[in-house]
Amino acid sequence: MGMTMVEKILAAHAGEEEVKPGQLVNAKLDLVLGNDVTTPVAIKEFNKIGVEQVFDQDRIAIVPDHFAPNKDINSAEQCKMIREFAHDKEITNYFEIGEMGIEHCLLPEKGLVLPGDIVIGADSHTCTYGALGALATGVGSTDMAAGMATGEAWFKVPETIKFVYNGQLQEWVSGKDLILYTIGDIGVDGALYKAMEFTGEVIEDFSMANRMTMSNMAIEAGGKCGLIEPDETTLEYVKDRAQRDYTVYKSDVDAEYAEVIEYDVSEIEPQVAFPHLPENTKGISEVGEIKIDQAVIGSCTNGRLEDLRIAAKVLEGQKKADHIRLIIFPGTQEIYRQAMHEGLIDIFLDAGAAVSTPTCGPCLGGHMGILAKGERAIATTNRNFVGRMGHPESEVYLSNPAVAAASAIKGQIVGPREVR
Amino acid sequence: MEIKGQVWKYGDDVDTDVIIPARYLNTSNPKELAKHCMEDIDENFVDKMSNGDLIVAEDNFGCGSSREHAPLAIKAAGVSCVIANSFARIFYRNSINIGLPILECPEAVAGIAEGDQVEVDVDSGLIKNLTKEEEYQAAAFPEFMQELIDAGGLVNYVRRRVKNNE
Ligand code: SF4
């Protein structure tokens, strides 16, 4: 019997010939990640373990991005704690304000996650790196602590669901729409405890940005990870970034899947997920009249250069509606700089947008764009839970960057065809 | 460990943003977090519950973020056990790692109503509904997880291993 990519990666890291779904294994880690919310808890736990040093100073990444730049005194204390820990333990990959970015945009850009890796991150969207063909999964702070101390973690080998996307994409339809559509189809627990594998001709044609957007939201379907087989596009992306060896794993043709789900993308239009779950999706033509107060473009889901280019294409020469707040936050400093060189930032400023330094800020209702009671936002982020972006009685609608930009212009949720 | 208390019941997809909203994540102090436990789904939860009470919910409890603050807040609020049809995987993992007893048991979820008095034996997975005089059997943990639980969570387990290797 053949093995899936996930099974092969786990087997290789656990020193086994073969692993089977359901089996518990102890596996070696290639990278352990934490942010300014989860790392403070991890440090407290790490200090209880009784080791002096982390397992490998080059294999830990710490990124203050959630409440950074420090939003208040408490966040400043949390950031200080992780900064001092990183300094103390001589952790190479600590990224300070000014050189940081949203962790899941930053790590691939820096070449810190590579095909065939096992990565655990004390952040649920660690699954983003599945786009590179890595087994990357979110864990909690205690796992991060144990991972930093030992370089290992326990895993239950997951079953895999294979998703196949074929057909011709409609205009303005992107990876975000395919993943929202998929979550709408299988539900927020549709892939619970399972690995997702995204395949098909549409995925093969996708850029890394689109692939990362899809893998990013595997967790919104309850998935442990969301993998895409490395190909030319992947290798081109990692070529000048990788500073260590890596291995490409591909699923065997006779690998066993829990399920195979096929989609003809030709029928999929831009998607909007209604409050308060990512599974409440509708095609843009079925949205109806929904007025908004704020449009947010960015995050680890859609804060990459390609996303900003799409937003700029829609916003060029246009203005946001009067009563709207349009907030754009690039994923990393590099993306920010490139957006500036390409003139995208000018387009945003002309459109009346507030452009922010990279931060998670508005995405999790942290700072830089909190919603008041009764307010509504359209956002290119990944979660629209109750209170996610502010007041428990506010609402978040999820979409791709083109829809968010078009909605900002109209003051209500519309597709880009309405404005271009 | 004795687990016995009154049940507070919730539905599907109780996410980590309602268990502990992100606006309170600028601290990791469990006592501070506990004050806001379940606030966005049930404003008075912390006031009305008593130490030792249980949460019973339906599908996919704890979905969303990886914040360990969620099980920490529940534990620090005094909740003794969470029973659900299913748990989101990171929440499940975190709960085991920090030593918050959680059990998957659809029969119990179907049988237990809000306000019922319930007693749980985590080792055997036996759940007794004292109000209705019913019993439900949850699957016992796999051996390795039982080891983690017996050690008092992942950190204790790893500390022991590190010591033994020295
Ligand atoms: S951008 Fe949002 S979803 Fe992504 S890591 Fe930051 S808070 Fe989490």
Side-chain angles (χ1 to χ4, degrees):
Chain A
M1 204 69 230
M3 287 198 283
T4 65
M5 296 169 72
V6 169
E7 290 158 12
K8 285 186 184 179
I9 296 173
L10 276 171
H13 286 75
E16 307 266 352
E17 285 277 298
E18 197 184 57
V19 297
K20 292 228 164 347
Q23 195 179 332
L24 287 165
V25 295
N26 212 38
K28 294 223 176 318
L29 302 171
D30 296 291
L31 194 80
V32 178
L33 160 73
N35 58 47
D36 53 316
V37 167
T38 54
T39 310
V41 182
I43 292 172
K44 285 188 209 160
E45 297 303 314
F46 179 87
N47 290 337
K48 292 182 198 159
I49 293 177
V51 290
E52 278 305 304
Q53 190 42 285
V54 297
F55 84 105
D56 183 340
Q57 285 111 318
D58 299 331
R59 299 293 186 125
I60 289 162
I62 297 181
V63 188
D65 57 358
H66 277 56
F67 295 135
N70 309 340
K71 84 155 176 133
D72 57 18
I73 295 170
N74 277 345
S75 340
E77 296 293 343
Q78 296 202 128
C79 288
K80 182 165 177 250
M81 181 175 176
I82 67 174
R83 184 180 303 118
E84 286 175 355
F85 178 80
H87 183 258
D88 214 39
K89 305 292 177 209
E90 297 171 342
I91 287 168
T92 338
N93 299 303
Y94 169 77
F95 298 94
E96 193 50 88
I97 310 296
E99 55 193 21
M100 63 74 146
I102 299 169
E103 50 200 293
H104 310 306
C105 295
L106 186 69
L107 266 48
E109 185 184 282
K110 296 280 180 198
L112 292 174
V113 286
L114 296 170
D117 279 0
I118 294 189
V119 180
I120 61 167
D123 189 277
S124 56
H125 293 99
T126 301
C127 52
T128 308
Y129 320 133
L132 293 144
L135 197 182
T137 191
V139 296
S141 300
T142 300
D143 271 309
M144 182 192 176
M148 287 197 295
T150 63
E152 293 176 3
W154 64 272
F155 295 96
K156 186 158 147 195
V157 181
E159 292 184 296
T160 300
I161 307 178
K162 180 171 169 170
F163 296 85
V164 190
Y165 302 87
N166 286 321
Q168 185 67 39
L169 281 179
Q170 292 182 25
E171 197 193 4
W172 302 111
V173 171
S174 64
K176 180 63 164 287
D177 304 294
L178 298 194
I179 192 66
L180 284 177
Y181 185 87
T182 305
I183 296 165
D185 181 40
I186 66 171
V188 289
D189 58 355
L192 196 61
Y193 303 134
K194 299 199 175 75
M196 301 168 87
E197 197 177 310
F198 304 115
T199 69
E201 59 189 33
V202 178
I203 308 296
E204 284 163 27
D205 286 346
F206 262 170
S207 62
M208 283 314 291
N210 264 325
R211 294 181 188 190
M212 288 194 233
T213 302
M214 290 194 69
S215 294
N216 176 270
M217 290 191 73
I219 179 72
E220 269 64 57
K224 179 175 196 138
C225 48
L227 275 75
I228 296 171
E229 220 170 72
D231 60 7
E232 289 294 307
T233 308
T234 325
L235 299 183
E236 182 59 31
Y237 181 86
V238 297
K239 195 176 71 186
D240 297 327
R241 295 185 162 93
Q243 288 149 39
R244 56 181 164 86
D245 292 340
Y246 57 88
T247 315
V248 169
Y249 295 93
K250 301 193 175 196
S251 295
D252 292 324
V253 276
D254 60 343
E256 206 171 323
Y257 291 95
E259 213 178 328
V260 178
I261 300 175
E262 294 184 40
Y263 296 111
D264 176 4
V265 303
S266 325
E267 286 154 25
I268 299 176
E269 50 171 349
Q271 301 287 304
V272 177
F274 278 50
H276 292 284
L277 282 177
E279 70 182 20
N280 297 335
T281 53
K282 287 186 188 175
I284 190 72
S285 63
E286 284 154 22
V287 163
E289 195 184 316
I290 295 178
K291 295 228 177 305
I292 53 165
D293 304 285
Q294 180 164 300
V296 176
I297 299 173
S299 85
C300 63
T301 316
N302 282 121
R304 296 184 184 81
L305 191 59
E306 191 177 308
D307 300 309
L308 300 186
R309 284 184 187 143
I310 291 169
K313 206 164 139 193
V314 176
L315 288 166
E316 185 159 25
Q318 308 249 30
K319 269 231 159 295
K320 67 167 184 70
D322 278 345
H323 66 281
I324 293 275
R325 286 128 25 208
L326 171 58
I327 299 170
I328 301 182
F329 58 122
T332 65
Q333 291 289 95
E334 226 8 77
I335 295 167
Y336 199 152
R337 186 196 301 274
Q338 189 58 30
M340 202 166 64
H341 284 323
E342 292 183 15
L344 311 184
I345 305 285
D346 279 330
I347 294 174
F348 298 152
L349 295 179
D350 289 343
V355 184
S356 148
T357 191
T359 175
C360 291
C363 171
L364 81 159
H367 59 145
M368 311 275 294
I370 308 289
L371 298 175
K373 185 172 174 179
E375 285 192 326
R376 269 196 205 122
I378 185 139
T380 67
T381 55
N382 47 40
R383 289 198 174 128
N384 54 355
F385 299 150
V386 170
R388 175 70 179 181
M389 204 171 269
H391 195 279
E393 285 170 44
S394 62
E395 293 183 344
V396 179
Y397 294 72
L398 305 175
S399 77
N400 72 26
V403 171
S407 306
I409 296 167
K410 283 282 184 192
Q412 71 179 62
I413 300 179
V414 295
R417 279 190 203 145
E418 309 274 326
V419 298
R420 290 269 40 139
Chain B
M1 178 176 29
E2 157 101 327
I3 293 176
K4 193 170 158 186
Q6 191 187 329
V7 163
W8 302 96
K9 210 169 167 188
Y10 300 93
D12 289 341
D13 304 317
V14 173
D15 62 75
T16 52
D17 275 275
V18 296
I19 296 173
I20 181 74
R23 56 183 178 276
Y24 303 121
L25 297 186
N26 57 4
T27 174
S28 61
N29 179 341
K31 286 209 185 76
E32 279 302 311
L33 296 172
K35 287 185 198 159
H36 305 290
C37 182
M38 307 292 275
E39 186 175 290
D40 281 1
I41 191 173
D42 187 352
E43 224 182 323
N44 303 318
F45 178 75
V46 179
D47 296 331
K48 68 188 187 189
M49 68 154 307
S50 321
N51 203 24
D53 281 0
L54 292 85
I55 291 177
V56 175
E58 298 190 1
D59 294 351
N60 202 24
F61 187 88
C63 63
S65 119
S66 67
R67 61 188 70 150
E68 207 158 288
H69 311 67
L72 279 176
I74 290 177
K75 196 177 171 195
V79 173
S80 60
C81 180
V82 185
I83 301 169
N85 289 338
S86 62
F87 291 92
R89 63 158 282 279
I90 306 180
F91 184 89
Y92 188 88
R93 199 180 165 101
N94 286 345
S95 301
I96 303 275
N97 282 346
I98 68 159
L100 170 70
I102 60 173
L103 291 172
E104 284 186 339
C105 186
E107 294 74 41
V109 175
I112 296 170
E114 175 142 313
D116 285 358
Q117 284 289 331
V118 167
E119 194 180 307
V120 177
D121 178 17
V122 178
D123 290 346
S124 67
L126 186 69
I127 302 166
K128 284 189 194 158
N129 186 335
L130 305 177
T131 308
K132 295 220 175 92
E133 297 183 353
E134 288 176 356
E135 288 187 1
Y136 326 98
Q137 182 66 50
F141 289 105
E143 200 185 305
F144 170 71
M145 279 190 213
Q146 191 61 53
E147 265 179 62
L148 282 188
I149 295 166
D150 292 344
L154 182 67
V155 161
N156 285 336
Y157 176 81
V158 172
R159 181 169 52 200
R160 248 183 244 171
R161 262 188 37 200
V162 168
K163 258 214 182 107
N164 291 344
N165 283 348
E166 270 170 5

